[in-house]
Amino acid sequence: MKPSLFVVGLPLVVGGCASTLPPDVVGSSPAVEQPSPRPIAYRSPMSGYIARQPVDPRPWRRQNDLQSPTNGDDS
């Protein structure tokens, strides 16, 4: 017999012999009786919009000097 038959057939036979009945697997009734959550309030998709306009570039040398070490790089 082919080994693939055991790989496929054995789990099906063993699964058919399971002792758990469907009512034990289905959700309990208290979960169904809980009230539903409040509906979500409407929020406009434009509520967080911030208008941004292009600006002229600033001098890069000052920005570079502020971020560089004071005595230069040791490498």
Side-chain angles (χ1 to χ4, degrees), residues 26-36:
V26 178
S28 62
S29 61
V32 175
E33 295 174 4
Q34 290 180 354
S36 62

Side-chain angles (χ1 to χ4, degrees), residues 7-61:
V7 172
V8 175
L10 189 60
L12 290 175
V13 171
V14 172
C17 298
S19 64
T20 306
L21 298 174
D24 295 337
V25 177
V26 178
S28 62
S29 61
V32 175
E33 295 174 4
Q34 290 180 354
S36 62
R38 295 184 311 161
I40 299 174
Y42 175 75
R43 198 171 107 200
S44 172
M46 300 298 287
S47 63
Y49 175 73
I50 298 172
R52 298 175 189 231
Q53 301 296 327
V55 295
D56 291 330
R58 290 191 251 167
W60 61 268
R61 186 171 301 273

Side-chain angles (χ1 to χ4, degrees), residues 52-72:
R52 298 175 189 231
Q53 301 296 327
V55 295
D56 291 330
R58 290 191 251 167
W60 61 268
R61 186 171 301 273
R62 181 173 182 272
Q63 194 77 352
N64 191 24
D65 290 342
L66 290 173
Q67 294 182 5
S68 66
T70 56
N71 294 334

